[in-house]
Amino acid sequence: MPLSTPALLVHSAGQAFERGTVDRRDVGPSDVLIDIAFAGICHSDIHQAREEWGRAIFPMVPGHEIAGIVREVGSGVTKYAVGDRVGIGCFVDSCRECENCLAGEEQFCLRGNVATYNGRAYDGTDTYGGYSTQIVADENYVLRIPDGIPLDAAAPLLCAGITTYSPLRHWGAGPGKRVAVIGMGGLGHMGVQIAHAMGAHVTVLSRTLAKEAEGRALGADEYHATEDPATFKSLRNRFDLIINTVSADIPVDRYLSTLRLDGALVFVGLPENPQTFRVFSLTGARRAIAGSNIGGIRETQEMLDFCAEHGIASVIETIGADDVTDAYDRVVRGDVRYRFVIDTATIPGA
Ligand code: NAP
Ligand code: ZN
Ligand code: ZN
C-alpha cells in the first residue's frame, strides 16, 4: 500500500488550494521518508500553479523549498539516519550519467531532471512537492540542513538560496567586485545576504525605496529606486555583475548600461514574455547577458554550509494551510517580507 499523505492541491490553473491527499511511493533501498516541517512559497510555484510557463500537470502540489526530519531510511541508505535535519530543492532525480550530471550540475541534466513537482519521475509517475506532510526521495537528492539554521528559515534556501548563490559563485562575486541585485523579494533578499558574505560591494535595485532599511540591514551597501529616472544615469558603467530576480519584464538596455567593461547581466527571474535588448548595449563594453538555473546537489550543500557559517537564513513569514491561496496574491503584489513559509502541521484536514 503506498503511503497516502495530506497535501494542498490545486486542481486547475489559478484555482484555490484544497486539502486532499497524494500517494508517496514505498521507501526503496536508497530512499528516505521525510516528515516535512516547512515548505517555502517560491514565485515559481505561482508561475506553475497559474500555468504562466505553459502547460502544467494537475492536480498539482507545489513546493520545492522543503525542510524536515528523516523519519525512515531504506536498507541501502548511507548518508542519512532517522532524525536528521534535511531538505529537498527543485529536483528529486536526474539521469546520473550525462556529462552535466557527472559534473555535479544535475540542474542541467541532458535527459531532463525530475522536478520535485509538476514533473514526471522516470517511471512515469507524477511528482508532488512540499505543500504536504511527507515525501519520499532518493538520498542522493536530499540535502543536510546544518544545525545552526532553524528549519523554517532554512526551507527557502533550497531554492531562493541556491538560485542566487550559484551565479554569484560562478561569476566570481567577492572582494573588489560590484554586484547589483534587481528585485528585493524572495530571491533578492537572499542574493543580498550571500553577495555581502562573499565580500562583494552590494547594491539593491528595487522599484522604490520602501525596503531600503531592511536591505541595508541584510548587507546592501547601496540601495536605489528604479522608478526614479535619475537612477540609471547615475549608475552608468558601475557593476561587474547584476543578478536579475524580477518575475516580470525589465528594461534590459537600461540595466546593461549600468555594467562596466566585461560585466554580466544574469537572469534568474523567469518572466513569461521574451525580453529584448539592443546589441549595441552589449558591444559598447563587451558586456554579456546570461541565465542561471538553481544549482547542483553538491553546490546546494556548499551553499547551506556557507549560510550556516555566515549566520545567513531567509527572512520569513510563517503561514498556515488556509492562507496559501491568499499568500499567492500577496507575493504577486510584493506584499511579503521576504518569503512565505507554510507550517505543514496545518495541512491535515479538520
Ligand atoms: P518575488 O518574491 O515575487 O520577488 C520578485 C521581486 O521582483 C519583487 O520582490 C519585486 O522587487 C520585483 N518585481 C516584482 N514585480 C515587478 C515588476 N512588475 N517590475 C519590476 N520589478 C518587479 O519572487 P521570487 O520568488 O524571488 O522569484 C523571482 C523570479 O525568479 C520568478 O520569476 C521565479 O520564477 C524565478 N526563479 C527562478 C529560479 C531559477 O533557478 N532561475 C529559481 C527560483 C525562482 P522590488 O519590490 O524590490 O522591486
Ligand atoms: Zn523556486
Ligand atoms: Zn543527466
Side-chain angles (χ1 to χ4, degrees):
M1 274 288 286
L3 185 67
S4 172
T5 64
L8 291 178
L9 294 90
V10 55
H11 288 278
S12 63
Q15 296 303 301
F17 280 93
E18 290 177 24
R19 287 185 165 87
T21 59
V22 289
D23 290 343
R24 303 294 188 182
R25 66 170 183 253
D26 292 334
V27 177
S30 64
D31 286 340
V32 295
L33 169 64
I34 299 166
D35 283 335
I36 301 172
F38 298 98
I41 295 180
C42 176
H43 207 120
S44 300
D45 299 348
I46 301 171
H47 288 307
Q48 291 175 85
R50 295 183 174 178
E51 257 185 354
E52 291 169 354
W53 291 342
R55 252 181 99 170
I57 303 168
F58 293 101
M60 184 189 296
V61 178
H64 58 209
E65 295 185 333
I66 299 171
I69 304 285
V70 174
R71 172 188 277 254
E72 194 182 319
V73 297
S75 55
V77 166
T78 58
K79 296 182 179 160
Y80 297 104
V82 171
D84 282 356
R85 308 165 84 245
V86 293
I88 291 180
C90 295
F91 55 92
V92 286
D93 204 356
S94 69
C95 85
R96 310 176 196 209
E97 53 190 32
C98 74
E99 60 179 346
N100 294 347
C101 282
L102 292 176
E105 307 267 25
E106 303 92 348
Q107 74 277 29
F108 303 120
C109 174
L110 296 175
R111 181 173 172 187
N113 61 34
V114 176
T116 302
Y117 70 87
N118 188 27
R120 292 226 156 83
Y122 294 140
D123 69 3
T125 55
D126 293 342
T127 57
Y128 299 109
Y131 299 6
S132 175
T133 57
Q134 292 183 314
I135 190 167
V136 176
D138 186 295
E139 65 166 337
N140 294 299
Y141 295 82
V142 172
L143 289 308
R144 183 176 300 281
I145 295 177
D147 285 339
I149 314 178
L151 284 184
D152 51 0
L157 301 181
L158 276 302
C159 178
I162 185 59
T163 299
T164 48
Y165 181 90
S166 183
L168 287 166
R169 265 275 176 269
H170 186 80
W171 274 273
K177 297 282 185 183
R178 292 191 213 132
V179 173
V181 176
I182 315 176
M184 175 76 180
L187 266 53
H189 92 289
M190 289 311 310
V192 169
Q193 295 183 76
I194 292 168
H196 174 70
M198 288 176 174
H201 181 276
V202 184
T203 299
V204 174
L205 302 174
S206 183
R207 287 169 294 182
T208 69
L209 297 180
K211 296 173 269 192
E212 179 173 3
E214 284 155 308
R216 287 186 183 274
L218 293 176
D221 300 287
E222 293 181 42
Y223 201 106
H224 299 282
T226 55
E227 277 179 5
D228 178 352
T231 290
F232 289 95
K233 266 200 183 125
S234 71
L235 294 175
R236 281 195 162 163
N237 301 303
R238 177 72 68 93
F239 304 115
D240 296 289
L241 173 63
I242 304 175
I243 307 287
N244 172 35
T245 75
V246 175
S247 49
D249 302 342
I250 61 160
V252 180
D253 291 301
R254 281 198 195 166
Y255 285 103
L256 287 173
S257 75
T258 69
L259 287 174
R260 67 204 292 198
L261 181 65
D262 289 326
L265 168 60
V266 180
F267 280 77
V268 292
L270 291 163
E272 51 181 318
N273 301 320
Q275 305 295 293
T276 58
F277 62 93
R278 293 179 72 236
V279 174
F280 284 92
S281 302
L282 299 180
T283 54
R286 206 160 53 199
R287 299 176 177 116
I289 292 184
S292 186
N293 181 38
I294 45 176
I297 294 296
R298 187 172 60 223
E299 191 175 46
T300 304
Q301 189 62 59
E302 180 186 303
M303 175 276 307
L304 287 164
D305 297 342
F306 177 92
C307 287
E309 189 186 321
H310 291 273
I312 293 172
S314 180
V315 177
I316 57 167
E317 289 187 39
T318 305
I319 59 170
D322 294 329
D323 307 321
V324 175
T325 300
D326 182 47
Y328 272 32
D329 291 329
R330 289 185 54 195
V331 171
V332 173
R333 284 203 303 270
D335 177 21
V336 52
R337 301 285 189 276
Y338 282 86
R339 199 53 138 189
F340 285 121
V341 169
I342 304 166
D343 177 353
T344 62
T346 61
I347 292 177

